[in-house]
Amino acid sequence: MAKTLLLIVNPRAGRTRSMAPMFDAAVHFCEAGYHISIRRTAYPGHAAEIVESEGGNFDRIVCCGGDGTLNETVRGVMTLDAPPPVGYIPSGSTNDFAASLSLTADPVQAAKRITSSRGKRLDVGTFNGRPFVYVASFGAFTKASYSAPQSIKNDLGHLAYLLEGVRDLSTLRPYPATVATEEEVFDGDFLFGAITNATSVGGLMKLQKEQVVLDDGLFELLLIPTPTSASELQELIRALVLQDFTGGGVVFRHVPAVTVTTPEGFPWTLDGEYGSGAETVEIRNLRQRLEFLL
């Protein structure tokens, strides 16, 4: 019986609009023995809708786009009774998840990797029940990940996030929150917070590969408290410049779950896309929940 593959393509993602490399990737899938069906996304959330309605009919689901497209695909796959393995061809402007796994952005090489992969089960997160792949974040620079226009992201990549973040600096404000893990509670004002399962956060913050394990059931919790003095601010700037999150008042932990309580439901981002907040947010790690073709 022939193998079947659903290929979802976001034509707006990345630095080039040419679909020629995707044609070569599609040819490889066919030559590898797959009957493929190709769907192009037309609007935000479309990938999730496609997978929810059609994904259960395929042996493999592959998406080509940025982290947002991957997020939507995984959200759709998580609704299926028997989720098929997921492949990812990164073509976005940042591709944090791909960077964590050292995945190639060349469509043909990515297709070859996917067809030869034996599959690996990785952790998936939930944000008040909504699935996400690698990061939920709030605070400074968070808005930049979804406010930078797609055209600017395509042209400038990581610089687009930085430019939008610098814009945010003029309106930096503390985010009062209580962040509870199974063992500790952090109560105060924070400039930024992230619950992540990746070595790159927003294309700006980098974690060492030995600090991040993608299938251990643990998130990396990163909290940056609001400085209350010039010396604290200097320490914080040093920590950010050196990407050293062991000092400067920065909180860095490995945790399976986090509950964030706030006096107001400030906005979050999930995998770089806008996620509406709530006064209480429960974030859980579903260990090795989904099989990825790496």
Side-chain angles (χ1 to χ4, degrees):
M1 186 173 179
K3 298 176 290 184
T4 56
L5 184 149
L6 175 62
L7 177 60
I8 299 172
V9 180
N10 179 354
R12 297 183 63 247
R15 302 170 188 272
T16 176
R17 303 285 177 86
S18 172
M19 291 290 102
M22 283 308 304
F23 173 81
D24 293 334
V27 168
H28 173 76
F29 286 131
C30 292
E31 292 176 344
Y34 285 93
H35 286 178
I36 69 170
S37 295
I38 303 175
R39 303 286 187 272
R40 295 203 307 176
T41 61
Y43 49 82
H46 196 192
E49 294 177 8
I50 294 170
V51 175
E52 287 179 30
S53 63
E54 303 180 40
N57 300 321
F58 292 87
D59 300 313
R60 302 284 186 271
I61 296 177
V62 177
C63 66
C64 176
D67 290 333
T69 305
L70 177 64
N71 174 281
E72 291 185 16
T73 300
V74 168
R75 277 167 46 201
V77 169
M78 293 278 283
T79 68
L80 303 178
D81 293 334
V86 175
Y88 181 37
I89 301 176
S91 65
S93 50
T94 301
N95 302 319
D96 283 325
F97 183 74
S100 299
L101 293 165
S102 301
L103 301 183
T104 177
D106 178 88
V108 175
Q109 293 304 314
K112 291 179 179 179
R113 166 182 52 79
I114 289 168
T115 55
S116 63
S117 172
R118 299 178 61 182
K120 182 177 178 61
R121 302 193 72 85
L122 300 181
D123 301 342
V124 174
T126 59
F127 177 95
N128 280 353
R130 174 181 171 179
F132 68 93
V133 181
Y134 74 92
V135 66
S137 63
F138 68 86
F141 295 102
T142 299
K143 182 180 178 182
S145 65
Y146 58 83
S147 63
Q150 185 65 48
S151 59
I152 294 179
K153 292 181 184 179
N154 291 346
D155 292 338
L156 300 180
H158 291 190
L159 182 58
Y161 293 92
L162 184 58
L163 292 175
E164 286 292 323
V166 169
R167 249 204 223 162
D168 283 350
L169 290 178
S170 62
T171 58
L172 276 183
R173 67 177 182 88
Y175 289 77
T178 299
V179 182
T181 72
E182 291 182 349
E183 298 181 350
E184 298 174 278
V185 176
F186 304 96
D187 190 19
D189 293 338
F190 303 95
L191 287 181
F192 177 81
I195 298 91
T196 179
N197 198 32
T199 58
S200 178
V201 181
L204 294 171
M205 294 184 176
K206 305 291 184 181
L207 301 176
Q208 299 299 314
K209 287 188 179 294
E210 58 268 21
Q211 293 177 310
V212 180
V213 180
L214 303 184
D215 62 352
D216 62 352
L218 299 175
F219 287 123
E220 282 60 57
L221 169 65
L222 181 65
L223 296 172
I224 299 179
T226 303
T228 59
S229 66
S231 60
E232 286 185 4
L233 176 60
Q234 186 175 11
E235 277 297 304
L236 175 59
I237 292 173
R238 176 184 176 279
L240 294 177
V241 169
L242 297 178
Q243 299 287 283
D244 177 9
F245 304 118
T246 60
V250 176
V251 174
F252 183 75
R253 300 287 191 275
H254 303 280
V255 297
V258 178
T259 299
V260 181
T261 306
T262 66
E264 56 183 276
F266 49 64
W268 290 68
T269 65
L270 304 179
D271 299 336
E273 302 297 318
Y274 177 78
S276 58
E279 291 186 2
T280 299
V281 169
E282 295 187 354
I283 298 173
R284 299 288 180 265
N285 186 301
L286 305 182
R287 186 176 186 184
Q288 299 180 14
R289 177 62 175 78
L290 204 57
E291 183 178 355
F292 288 86
L293 301 168
L294 305 174

